[in-house]
Each structure stands twice: as structure tokens, then as C-alpha cells.
Amino acid sequence: QVQLVESGGGLVQAGGSLRLSCAVSGGTFSGYVVAWFRQAPWKARDFVAALNWSGGRTNYADSMRGRVTMSRDNTENTVHLQMSNLNPEDTATYYCASRRGQSIATGSFVYDYWGQGTQVTVSS
């Protein structure tokens, strides 16, 4: 069974940076689209970023564009989300998700595999 494991969350000050990672076990990301979503208390689960593993194409949410960069590590079969200039509004649980295919989608319902989430807290 495919499992996704997020890591890298923590507490940072406003304006700081953080790098999240998502590793897969029981398979590889080859032929899949990998995405990040986040969910803050009392809020819906929102799209953050996505990457097409095969082509390396990325897409970012408008609210995060310019502050996040998603990348892949073929050797470790891991994706990373580099975040910078963080603000308290970025505080949320960040989830890694994946689906087979090449088209990037922003709806959480499209993704089949999910990690347990990693907490990101930005203090002011």
C-alpha cells in the first residue's frame, strides 16, 4: 500500500523560512502528480502547490505564489516545499497528496493518497 509521510514542520517567526518534505513508501512518484494542501483551524483544506513528477511542471496557489517553490529529488523519491516570507496566516497543517497521471489539479477530491500532515506554526 502506498504511504506518504510529511516532515519538516515546526514553529517559525514571521518572515522566516521552512522546508517541508514528502516521502513515499510502497511505491514511487513516477507517473504521478504530487501536491501540497493545507488546512487551518476552522478552515477548509486549500491547495498550495503541485508538481508533475515526470515533467517537473509545477503550479502554485495565487496566495502562495512567489513565496513557495516545489521540487523533486529523484534519488530519494521525495518532494520538497520550500517556503519563505511566512506570515501567521500560513499557520496550518500541511498535507502531501498524490494521484496517478500528469495533469495538475487543485481540488483535494482528485487525489487518492494522503499523508498524515505536518504542523506549521508561524508566530508574529
Side-chain angles (χ1 to χ4, degrees):
Q1 184 176 355
V2 175
Q3 294 188 66
L4 306 179
V5 180
E6 304 96 334
S7 62
L11 175 65
V12 297
Q13 293 182 322
S17 300
L18 203 63
R19 190 177 80 153
L20 306 182
S21 299
C22 175
V24 61
S25 63
T28 69
F29 281 132
S30 180
Y32 285 76
V33 172
V34 187
W36 288 94
F37 291 81
R38 69 181 185 182
Q39 187 167 23
W42 322 116
K43 301 293 184 180
R45 187 168 296 187
D46 295 326
F47 173 78
V48 175
L51 176 147
N52 178 298
W53 187 269
S54 297
R57 181 170 58 91
T58 57
N59 190 35
Y60 303 104
D62 291 339
S63 62
M64 303 293 289
R65 198 179 305 276
R67 300 191 296 119
V68 295
T69 300
M70 193 171 177
S71 61
R72 59 180 175 176
D73 187 324
N74 290 299
T75 302
E76 298 184 8
N77 201 34
T78 301
V79 298
H80 304 286
L81 183 70
Q82 180 67 48
M83 303 188 293
S84 62
N85 194 27
L86 293 169
N87 57 69
E89 287 69 39
D90 295 315
T91 295
T93 300
Y94 285 70
Y95 297 90
C96 180
S98 182
R99 62 178 288 268
R100 187 176 184 181
Q102 301 182 70
S103 299
I104 293 179
T106 60
S108 61
F109 56 88
V110 178
Y111 293 85
D112 303 309
Y113 306 101
W114 291 84
Q116 81 290 342
T118 184
Q119 179 66 36
V120 172
T121 302
V122 184
S123 64
S124 58

